[in-house]
Amino acid sequence: MRKTGAELVRFALEQLGVEYTFGIPGVHTTEIYDQLNSSKTVKPILVTHECGGAFMADAVSRTGNSIGTLLIVPAAGITHAASGIGEAGLDGIPLLVISGGVHSESGHKYQLHDIDQHTLLKPITKGTFKILHHNDVIPTLFQAYRLATEGEPGPVYIEIPYNIANFKGDVENLPDFRCENEDYSISSELIEQAVEQISKSTKVGIFCGWGAREATQELIEIAEYLAAPVATTLQGLSVFPADHSLHTGMGFGEYSVPVAAKSFKDIDCLIAVGTRFSEIPTGSYGVTVPDNLIHIDINPEVFNANYRAKVALQGDSKQVLRELILEVNKCIEQKKKDEVEVIIKQHKQSYLNEWLLHDSKNKVNPAQFFKHLSGQLPRQSIIVADDGNHTFLAAELMPIKKTKGFISPSDFNAMGYCVPAAIGAKLANQNSTVVGIVGDGGLLMTGLELLTAVQLGLGLIIFVFNDGELAQIAQAQKVPYNRKTCTQVAGFKPEGIAIATGAQYLKLNDNASIETVINQAMSLAANNQPVIVDVNIDYSKPTRFTQGVVKINLRRFSAREKVRAVTRALIRRLTG
């Protein structure tokens, strides 16, 4: 039979269960877009910028049931989308990145958009493919999907040249896609070694990341059996419910909230699940990990990369934990958790009270804001944070109770994530409340994607923590330099973005208005209207994360550099 490449792409995406593609059509992809316009199961979504499209696709993969898929033009579309592809690449999020390509048989040099896209994308994808024959379109897309989703997930790129997409060619058949579930063989000997280490310890702690997102019930079971406090990474904030009595929060060193620092201070065994011990979750590698480390991850390359494991267990977190729980139940007596729970409850409340009592003057106190927001949101809500000071405020003050109920940029740490990712999360979870938390700087990057939300009739709420500066870096500049360079965005009025895109706009000025404004925002969103809430936020109190990381990094300075830094800070403070 003879088919255009575009027809074959449509067939393959339908077979793979893709629900949405994100991008902007161009001359190299018009035929594919025309085909998808006739699809009953795949809906192409027009975005305002390919970077936003990549973040939308990322959120679909993180929170939905289908793989996030980009359909973009070559060259400029690729470079525009690269930040979103890179975020997915470093965070372990599966994506299909499909672009057009120049005519592969024209015989001409310097065609429009003619660059080596594969070399460009190699560092931020799991693999790349260039299709040169019609018969390879469907098998290649199936192969790309498997590569993107197997092991530690990630983005995979497929280039479809103009002549393949637009013109007909011979194909043997249209094969159905068959899902192949990975099965990891877990060494019983290593499981026994892990149980032995647990049995020899006096106090166990659990540290879990995004890789444990499907193992929440297993985490709860083993934590309760061992009376183990549970901390999470930033990316894995939602994998263990914050209202569980053993939950302590993000991280467990001096950069973490007091309850985590206290609860993990005397542990002599750590079970780490689905985490790479990367820079953010370890507070710039400032966490103290006990010698007795049991590390569970699907990617063997993470073992011993930053902290040496006593026992390394490769495999799916859920599967490994099930095996471990069976042996723990056989060999170890269940521990009482009452004392641990009391300490956790007391220190959590103490830290919250500290924030609630902070004088925010005529601005919005972050703890008051998150207390009211948490009280009004349904349990199944999804919180989408951007990159900035607000990220760590949310991590410390907003209890996340649902698996995959919190997403944010992590290891790649790209600003501009929130608005488009909230759109992707809402598309993938249309019956859930989706709330975005973004700084003014992040909104300036991708806020115009709210036009996409308006056109699609998506009721989501974007809270803009508006303080007139890029707060996370501005705070880092203030102490050592006593001045702020290129971090001021004073005068920005988010209402202009609401007017430009057709979104609704509300202003939240002070603590007294929090409950009323949140209610108004939720009512508007319930009527399928995107809402910008301009929050007059108080950033005068730093997070524990910021304070801890500054201390950790300062200790790494040589004596001479410490003297230099302190002297400069004092001189600038004295001289103004």
Side-chain angles (χ1 to χ4, degrees), residues 22 49 53 111 127 138 210 273 306 398 410 421 459 464 517 522 526 548 554:
F22 301 93
H49 193 284
Q111 297 181 64
I138 295 173
W210 181 253
V273 188
N306 290 318
M398 180 69 191
S410 185
V464 184
V517 173
M522 292 184 70
L554 186 60

Side-chain angles (χ1 to χ4, degrees), residues 206 208 212 214-230 238-247 273 321-322 325 334 337 341 379 401 403:
I206 297 173
C208 45
E214 303 292 349
T216 297
Q217 288 306 122
E218 286 74 18
L219 287 169
I220 291 172
E221 187 174 340
I222 195 168
E224 290 182 346
Y225 195 87
L226 298 175
V230 181
S238 66
V239 304
F240 196 85
D243 55 352
H244 191 281
S245 59
L246 293 172
H247 172 270
V273 188
L321 281 173
R322 284 252 54 94
I325 288 167
Q334 185 170 2
K337 61 182 188 295
E341 290 175 325
R379 187 181 185 87
K401 303 167 187 175
T403 302

Side-chain angles (χ1 to χ4, degrees), residues 1-3 8 134-136 138 169-174:
M1 71 183 80
R2 290 179 64 79
K3 297 281 185 180
L8 301 172
H134 287 76
N135 215 39
D136 295 333
I138 295 173
D170 293 324
V171 291
E172 295 174 5
N173 55 32
L174 302 180

Side-chain angles (χ1 to χ4, degrees), residues 93-224:
I93 307 301
L95 294 183
L96 289 180
V97 182
I98 303 170
S99 90
V102 301
H103 196 303
S104 61
E105 297 179 354
S106 73
H108 295 292
K109 299 290 185 182
Y110 311 116
Q111 297 181 64
L112 176 67
H113 296 324
D114 192 357
I115 65 167
D116 181 355
Q117 303 177 114
H118 301 268
T119 299
L120 181 69
L121 291 174
K122 183 178 180 181
I124 54 175
T125 59
K126 287 185 72 177
T128 71
F129 299 89
K130 183 174 182 178
I131 296 175
L132 296 177
H133 303 284
H134 287 76
N135 215 39
D136 295 333
V137 173
I138 295 173
T140 300
L141 283 166
F142 288 178
Q143 183 182 355
Y145 177 89
R146 291 190 180 100
L147 179 59
T149 55
E150 69 185 9
E152 183 176 336
V156 176
Y157 169 61
I158 309 99
E159 178 182 348
I160 305 176
Y162 177 86
N163 48 303
I164 299 294
N166 285 45
F167 308 146
K168 290 192 173 185
D170 293 324
V171 291
E172 295 174 5
N173 55 32
L174 302 180
D176 293 336
F177 176 73
R178 294 183 179 179
C179 185
E180 299 173 2
N181 293 323
E182 290 179 278
D183 187 23
Y184 289 88
S185 177
I186 303 167
S187 166
S188 58
E189 182 179 343
L190 288 176
I191 291 287
E192 290 171 5
Q193 289 177 21
V195 173
E196 182 182 356
Q197 297 304 320
I198 294 169
S199 66
K200 291 192 301 186
S201 65
T202 57
K203 184 177 180 182
V204 178
I206 297 173
F207 185 45
C208 45
W210 181 253
R213 63 195 176 278
E214 303 292 349
T216 297
Q217 288 306 122
E218 286 74 18
L219 287 169
I220 291 172
E221 187 174 340
I222 195 168
E224 290 182 346

